[in-house]
Amino acid sequence: MTSRALVLGGGGPVGIAWESGLVAGLAQAGVDLGQADFTMGTSAGSFVGARLALGDDPRTLADPILRDRIPGEERRPAGGGGPPADLSKLMQLMGAAQGDLRNPAEARAEIGAYALAAQTMDEAAFIESFGRSFATLPVDAWPDRGFACTAVDAETGAFQLWTRDSGVGVVRAVASSCSVPGIYPPVTLNGRRYIDGGMRSSTNADMAAGHDLVVVIAVRLGAAGGAVGEQIAARFDEEVESLKHGGSTVVVISPDDASVAAFGVNLMDFRRRPDAARAGLAQGLADAAELKGFWG
């Protein structure tokens, strides 16, 4: 029996909106990515992936954003729809972590130190901001369908793949994966603090090894520009090649030109979400015919 995996990459609140729209458009046209045997998300992708794995209807995944009515899990925790957060310091640190000149874990630990020292909302408020999608779940709940999400230990820089066997609840696991350093607080699980899994890779697609078919949704590879963008793109290419070398057939979905235009320059700009969701929906509807033969 063919095993299918879905990998959802990071991309801030704009990425959540676009991925939600894309998944909805594909589903409305007959390609239900929610039927994956294994779904893995990083940062924004962890939120979208968890909703799918928990059984949300993929056809309506983007409806709240498309209506521009923001439920609790998607409102800006810091409040309002003001200007996007400044990511310049984080991008500098990520450049060091993505490069080949240093031990990656040590470089990620520096990002963790930056996150631990940053002035952000408190952890409880951040967890609460995930709101309605997860509000009724027990603290130790995990999706019945295969699901994993990624994080990084803020002190050691070690990579963490949260799964059912990790003994943590999906709400905090997803929150840790979405904890953008310097903007949101590191999240406590099992007595340790964790930050955004995108500090290792924007997709961590290599964690889907062993599946026959892998669909990778990558929000913005190399968009940072310069050396950092090149390093992120090169890392992604290595991950895809490792999957193929292991026998997987891989399809990569990235934003089309209309989606890129809808994103703007900062994926943390909450004001861009409705346009990003609409662009994702249109792309999903357009791309479904090509993907249908692959996904089945």
Side-chain angles (χ1 to χ4, degrees):
M1 182 175 177
T2 300
S3 175
R4 299 178 295 179
L6 171 64
V7 175
L8 294 149
V14 175
I16 288 177
W18 178 74
E19 288 182 338
S20 298
L22 180 76
V23 168
L26 288 169
Q28 290 173 22
V31 179
D32 184 358
L33 295 182
Q35 294 302 308
D37 300 291
F38 174 69
T39 298
M40 190 198 71
T42 290
S43 198
S46 72
F47 185 90
V48 178
R51 291 187 64 188
L52 286 173
L54 286 165
D56 283 17
D57 187 342
R59 296 169 298 179
T60 60
L61 206 62
D63 282 6
I65 308 170
L66 291 168
R67 292 193 299 265
D68 199 20
R69 291 164 53 188
I70 309 303
E73 75 276 16
E74 286 154 352
R75 69 177 183 268
R76 185 176 184 179
D86 182 2
L87 301 177
S88 56
K89 175 63 175 178
L90 177 59
M91 296 310 298
Q92 293 174 9
L93 293 168
M94 287 180 64
Q98 297 282 347
D100 297 325
L101 301 179
R102 298 185 56 197
N103 179 292
E106 291 180 358
R108 292 194 296 265
E110 287 192 11
I111 301 177
Y114 165 70
L116 290 166
Q119 296 296 314
T120 67
M121 73 176 72
D122 65 38
E123 186 177 341
F126 180 50
I127 300 296
E128 184 182 358
S129 73
F130 282 82
R132 297 176 190 172
S133 282
F134 305 129
T136 61
L137 296 176
V139 294
D140 59 349
W142 198 265
D144 291 331
R145 187 176 291 274
F147 174 72
C149 61
T150 66
V152 167
D153 188 301
E155 293 184 2
T156 68
F159 177 69
Q160 176 67 50
L161 184 68
W162 299 119
T163 69
R164 173 182 291 279
D165 295 333
S166 299
V168 302
V170 68
V171 177
R172 280 189 170 270
V174 168
S176 72
S177 191
C178 293
S179 176
V180 181
I183 299 175
Y184 301 130
V187 173
T188 305
L189 292 119
N190 294 336
R192 301 197 63 81
R193 307 289 299 282
Y194 291 90
I195 58 173
D196 195 321
M199 299 306 102
R200 176 184 183 263
S201 160
S202 61
T203 58
N204 295 293
D206 50 323
M207 295 293 107
H211 295 277
D212 301 305
L213 307 178
V214 183
V215 168
V216 183
I217 299 179
V219 176
R220 185 174 267 189
L221 294 170
V228 176
E230 292 176 2
Q231 289 160 358
I232 291 172
R235 176 60 182 266
F236 177 73
D237 290 341
E238 291 174 1
E239 292 171 0
V240 171
E241 287 305 311
S242 74
L243 290 172
K244 292 179 178 178
H245 183 74
S248 300
T249 300
V250 183
V251 170
V252 176
I253 304 176
S254 56
D256 59 16
D257 290 343
S259 295
V260 171
F263 289 176
V265 298
N266 191 325
L267 296 177
M268 296 302 295
D269 190 345
F270 282 71
R271 300 168 298 184
R272 291 281 184 170
R273 287 175 298 170
D275 286 346
R278 281 187 283 270
L281 180 66
Q283 183 175 345
L285 291 168
D287 289 356
E290 182 176 352
L291 189 60
K292 190 174 295 184
F294 171 80
W295 195 251

